[in-house]
Amino acid sequence: MSMLHTINKSPFDRDSLGSCLRVIADDGAILFIEDGVYAAMKGTRVADTVAAAASNHSVYVLGTDLSARGMSSDNIIDGISAVSYTHLTLPTKESRWWGGGGGGGWGGGGG
């Protein structure tokens, strides 16, 4: 079963990226949101690590969070796709989520 891992902390402040990479399965995907978007930028000390992850996994970055931090998708690491809130359901359709009612479902609302 694939899982979408969301990273919302800067890789320069916390080790959320490292924690994710230690547990992600071969079919897992990564979504950088909030301050996690800093990990998606070219030329940083984590760029090689993130590029390697992007060569093995689907990796996404939330475009509005890039913009909110004055960054552009032109500067993200090759292999990472910028997505919008509208498109956010695309990676989650590949992933399993557990809702508040105790039942599981596939992202997008199925059951």
Side-chain angles (χ1 to χ4, degrees), residues 50-109:
V50 174
S55 69
N56 295 312
H57 305 282
S58 296
V59 180
Y60 308 93
V61 62
L62 191 58
T64 53
D65 285 345
L66 283 174
S67 298
R69 286 153 183 81
M71 296 185 274
S72 164
S73 61
D74 295 336
N75 295 321
I76 62 174
I77 296 166
D78 293 337
I80 297 178
S81 300
V83 295
S84 67
Y85 282 112
T86 304
H87 296 107
L88 192 55
T89 58
L90 294 176
T92 58
K93 285 185 180 180
E94 302 170 2
S95 304
R96 187 83 170 163
W97 62 269
W98 295 94
W106 290 104

Side-chain angles (χ1 to χ4, degrees), residues 14-27:
R14 303 260 169 82
D15 191 31
S16 300
L17 174 62
S19 296
C20 171
L21 295 177
R22 282 190 290 280
V23 300
I24 192 169
D26 290 342
D27 61 349

